[in-house]
Amino acid sequence: MKVWELTNASLDQAPRRLKRESKTRRKEEMKILWWVSLVFVITNVGALAEEPQLSSPRVVFQTNYGDIEFGFYPSVAPKTVDHIFKLVRLGCYNTNHFFRVDRGFVAQVADVASGRSAPMNEEQRKEAEKTIVGEFSDVKHVRGILSMGRYSDPDSAQSSFSILLGDAPHLDGQYAIFGKVTKGDETLRKLEELPTHREGIFVMPVERITILSSYYYDTELESCKQERGILKQRLAASAVEIERQRMKCFP
């Protein structure tokens, strides 16, 4: 009798025990899911925070293989951006060239003091000979990034810089990133297909890749110009409609 009562009690408690265990298991699963979601959010927010804001100016290098447009990260490397942009405004990169094209790695612009085919004036040479303090950051070296060239001295950058043709994490924190390519990836792919030869550590193009000319513009001003053009068109259309109605009502 006692055995039956114990067995019956055990059977009666089994569903409740299973229910409690199931509820506990669900709580544990929800806790794990919550932590996974939290880690995912933190990781993605961190990744977004690492993406710096481009300023409105754009620079275009017109090469014998097509155009390359890029923008600047003044919040990341303000002194470097000021220096490179001044070199562009002075026309220092005109007739310069890409002395290095290592497929999947970098396309590197030569120092303007030695890479130009045209002579430099005094103002150009003075700016080109300046060295810039190394403004290293947490921004990653990935395809399209602009990164200053330098010697072993971290503060020896002048006017040579590389356009990344692939991811290069071993350069992170070692070279100053100051911008990225905004248009012209098709031109970069053309450069990667050109014949090259190796000289020491450098992979160099067989034929000269010349920066024929360069120019710059401001995306905010361009936007305003476009808006003004649209407004003028609307005003002109309105004037035509007013005149049509006037002729209809007052022939």
Side-chain angles (χ1 to χ4, degrees):
M1 187 68 178
K2 289 182 180 179
V3 174
W4 181 88
E5 288 176 351
L6 287 172
T7 304
N8 190 49
S10 299
L11 290 173
D12 187 50
Q13 293 173 4
R16 290 198 295 271
R17 186 171 63 252
L18 290 173
K19 190 175 182 180
R20 286 197 302 271
E21 290 175 354
S22 177
K23 190 174 182 180
T24 302
R25 188 163 54 249
R26 283 199 300 271
K27 285 183 178 179
E28 291 297 325
E29 289 173 352
M30 289 299 295
K31 187 183 294 184
I32 292 171
L33 182 61
W34 185 84
W35 278 109
V36 169
S37 300
L38 181 62
V39 170
F40 177 80
V41 169
I42 292 173
T43 302
N44 282 273
V45 168
L48 290 172
E50 291 175 2
E51 179 66 27
Q53 183 71 34
L54 283 171
S55 58
S56 57
R58 296 289 185 272
V59 171
V60 179
F61 281 175
Q62 297 181 299
T63 79
N64 49 331
Y65 290 95
D67 294 356
I68 302 169
E69 179 188 287
F70 56 87
F72 296 112
Y73 291 147
S75 62
V76 174
K79 293 180 180 178
T80 304
V81 168
D82 286 346
H83 176 62
I84 295 297
F85 197 28
K86 186 172 183 180
L87 289 172
V88 170
R89 294 197 304 272
L90 291 173
C92 293
Y93 287 100
N94 298 345
T95 76
N96 196 16
H97 70 289
F98 286 86
F99 80 93
R100 179 186 188 187
V101 178
D102 197 337
R103 185 175 183 178
F105 183 36
V106 296
Q108 187 168 354
V109 178
D111 270 315
V112 297
S114 58
R116 284 167 49 105
S117 58
M120 302 179 73
N121 60 40
E122 185 177 349
E123 186 179 12
Q124 289 173 328
R125 185 169 296 281
K126 183 178 179 180
E127 188 65 27
E129 290 176 350
K130 289 181 179 179
T131 55
I132 306 301
V133 63
E135 296 179 299
F136 309 130
S137 66
D138 295 330
V139 182
K140 305 302 181 185
H141 283 77
V142 296
R143 185 177 179 87
I145 282 292
L146 309 183
S147 180
M148 289 299 290
R150 63 173 177 83
Y151 297 104
S152 56
D153 181 352
D155 301 329
S156 60
Q158 291 184 298
S159 59
S160 176
F161 65 87
S162 295
I163 300 176
L164 271 290
L165 301 176
D167 297 353
H170 62 287
L171 302 181
D172 293 346
Q174 305 297 316
Y175 294 85
I177 289 174
F178 65 94
K180 74 172 183 178
V181 172
T182 51
K183 293 180 184 178
D185 190 66
E186 65 280 1
T187 300
L188 295 179
R189 294 192 185 281
K190 288 180 185 178
L191 301 189
E192 289 185 275
E193 296 300 323
L194 296 175
T196 58
H197 66 282
R198 182 176 289 275
E199 290 190 17
I201 64 170
F202 297 124
V203 177
M204 309 173 75
V206 173
E207 296 184 2
R208 183 180 175 91
I209 303 171
T210 303
I211 301 171
L212 303 171
S213 63
S214 61
Y215 67 90
Y216 60 93
Y217 70 96
D218 194 298
T219 55
E220 291 182 355
L221 295 179
E222 287 293 310
S223 176
C224 291
K225 183 179 180 180
Q226 184 178 7
E227 290 172 4
R228 286 197 299 270
I230 293 172
L231 181 59
K232 286 180 180 179
Q233 290 176 3
R234 289 176 178 173
L235 289 172
S238 297
V240 170
E241 178 62 21
I242 290 171
E243 181 63 16
R244 190 180 71 81
Q245 292 295 333
R246 188 188 69 79
M247 292 296 292
K248 180 180 178 181
C249 298
F250 307 101

